[in-house]
């Protein structure tokens, strides 16, 4: 299979501390690929390097075969590498529809001039509603984002990410802080929106990882410890040791 996103000996140092240590990651086109590991393993730092929110200390990043190591975040997003964040990032006082419309404006308008006249904005309503239907949020279109439960806000964020027409979606802890019902709904949503695109996700919930991911990379102390299918990595003694007593969580995810 084609590797759409790769890193080659990627490193990031902070005042002499190596947070990411010679990570060579290959994400296959069309896969749902998970990046897992204990707290402090460097997962979010890798995401920040991939999306250019942090500059790499050394190493290279390739997207669709092209070196993007020196690229800025905005042009990279326009090329199709788009991320979400751990913290909810909706506009709280805008409606759900308006939040998605802002994302459509950002993609369609030149540079940063995306505050367009009302008559232009209304033309985007149809596209915005189509995106909301993809994430089962069409019935919440007129609700202010601030009034949504947390799990529904995450669905809006996925819709705004889809508005950027991503080839690769990077989802940082998409089910963090959710109850069981929201976790199941968002998991189904991720599987649905993965059709025709690639997803790289950081996720702590091992049942989510076991249920939908094609391939898993395990980080420990900033370096890749193991890679493979969930069955392979969950049976690796090094992975079990890295989780320091979380073996039951890893093994229980098969159920």
């Amino acid at each position: 299979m084609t590797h759409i996103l790769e890193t080659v000996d990627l490193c990031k140092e902070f005042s002499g501390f190596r947070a990411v240590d010679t990570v060579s990651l290959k994400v296959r086109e069309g896969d749902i690929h998970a990046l897992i590991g204990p707290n402090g393993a460097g997962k979010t730092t890798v995401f920040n390097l991939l999306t250019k929110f942090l500059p790499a200390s050394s190493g290279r990043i390739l997207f669709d075969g092209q070196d993007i190591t020196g690229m800025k975040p905005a042009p990279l997003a326009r090329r199709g590498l788009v991320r979400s964040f751990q913290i909810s990032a909706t506009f709280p006082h805008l409606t759900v529809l308006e939040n998605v419309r802002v994302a459509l404006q950002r993609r369609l308008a030149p540079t940063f001039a995306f505050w367009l006249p009302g008559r232009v904005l209304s033309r985007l309503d149809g596209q915005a509603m189509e995106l909301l239907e993809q994430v089962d949020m069409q019935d919440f279109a007129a609700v202010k984002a601030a009034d949504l439960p947390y799990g529904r806000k995450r669905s809006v964020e996925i819709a705004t990410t889809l508005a950027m027409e991503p080839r690769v979606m990077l989802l940082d802890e998409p089910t963090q802080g959710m109850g069981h019902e929201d976790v199941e709904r968002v998991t189904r949503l991720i599987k649905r929106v993965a059709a025709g695109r690639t997803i790289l996700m950081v996720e702590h919930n091992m049942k989510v990882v076991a249920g939908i991911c094609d391939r898993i990379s395990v980080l420990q102390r900033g370096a890749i410890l193991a890679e493979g299918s969930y069955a392979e990595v969950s049976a690796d003694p090094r992975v079990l040791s890295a989780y320091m007593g979380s073996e039951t969580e890893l093994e229980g995810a098969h159920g």
Side-chain angles (χ1 to χ4, degrees):
M1 295 179 68
T2 302
H3 293 107
I4 191 168
L5 183 62
E6 298 181 51
T7 67
V8 181
D9 294 334
L10 193 64
C11 295
K12 180 62 182 178
E13 293 187 1
F14 297 99
S15 301
F17 169 70
R18 184 164 284 194
V20 174
D21 188 2
T22 57
V23 167
S24 293
L25 179 69
K26 292 187 176 183
V27 179
R28 301 183 303 196
E29 188 166 17
D31 271 5
I32 302 177
H33 191 128
L35 195 59
I36 69 171
N39 289 332
K43 303 179 295 294
T44 295
T45 303
V46 169
F47 259 38
N48 287 334
L49 294 171
L50 290 172
T51 50
K52 315 313 299 168
F53 285 86
L54 280 176
S57 300
S58 61
R60 294 190 302 143
I61 305 170
L62 305 175
F63 178 47
D64 201 18
Q66 296 187 329
D67 194 321
I68 60 166
T69 310
M71 191 173 288
K72 300 293 185 184
L76 182 56
R78 286 194 289 270
R79 290 182 68 168
L81 187 64
V82 184
R83 74 172 290 181
S84 72
F85 293 84
Q86 286 185 21
I87 300 170
S88 181
T90 55
F91 292 102
H93 300 299
L94 296 182
T95 67
V96 168
L97 179 69
E98 289 167 341
N99 267 275
V100 178
R101 204 166 61 181
V102 166
L104 289 168
Q105 289 169 247
R106 186 172 56 191
R107 179 172 59 83
L108 297 175
T111 64
F112 295 102
F114 52 75
W115 299 107
L116 303 174
R119 67 181 183 279
V120 177
L121 296 183
S122 62
R123 297 175 192 166
L124 300 175
D125 285 353
Q127 295 176 58
M129 284 302 297
E130 288 177 8
L131 289 167
L132 290 177
E133 287 172 5
Q134 288 186 43
V135 298
D136 291 329
M137 287 295 292
Q138 63 273 19
D139 294 338
F140 296 83
V143 178
K144 284 190 176 181
D147 297 331
L148 292 173
Y150 181 74
R152 293 287 182 178
K153 286 180 183 176
R154 281 299 202 187
S155 296
V156 176
E157 290 172 11
I158 291 174
T160 59
T161 305
L162 291 173
M164 298 296 292
E165 296 186 348
R167 293 187 62 195
V168 178
M169 294 175 67
L170 288 87
L171 305 178
D172 197 358
E173 299 282 9
T175 69
Q176 185 181 48
M178 291 184 187
H180 179 72
E181 184 177 331
D182 277 338
V183 167
E184 288 194 344
R185 185 174 54 77
V186 171
T187 301
R188 291 193 301 270
L189 172 57
I190 292 169
K191 187 136 181 100
R192 185 192 313 159
V193 302
R197 56 180 60 89
T198 305
I199 292 180
L200 176 63
M201 59 191 289
V202 168
E203 181 55 63
H204 273 106
N205 189 317
M206 291 299 106
K207 287 192 175 181
V208 173
V209 172
I212 65 173
C213 292
D214 301 293
R215 190 167 178 83
I216 296 100
S217 298
V218 185
L219 280 182
Q220 182 186 32
R221 299 188 185 93
I224 290 183
L225 178 66
E227 286 187 312
S229 67
Y230 188 83
E232 290 168 335
V233 300
S234 64
D236 190 319
R238 297 171 302 165
V239 176
L240 298 178
S241 176
Y243 273 86
M244 295 178 62
S246 297
E247 294 92 337
T248 54
E249 179 188 4
L250 287 165
E251 294 168 355
H254 290 293

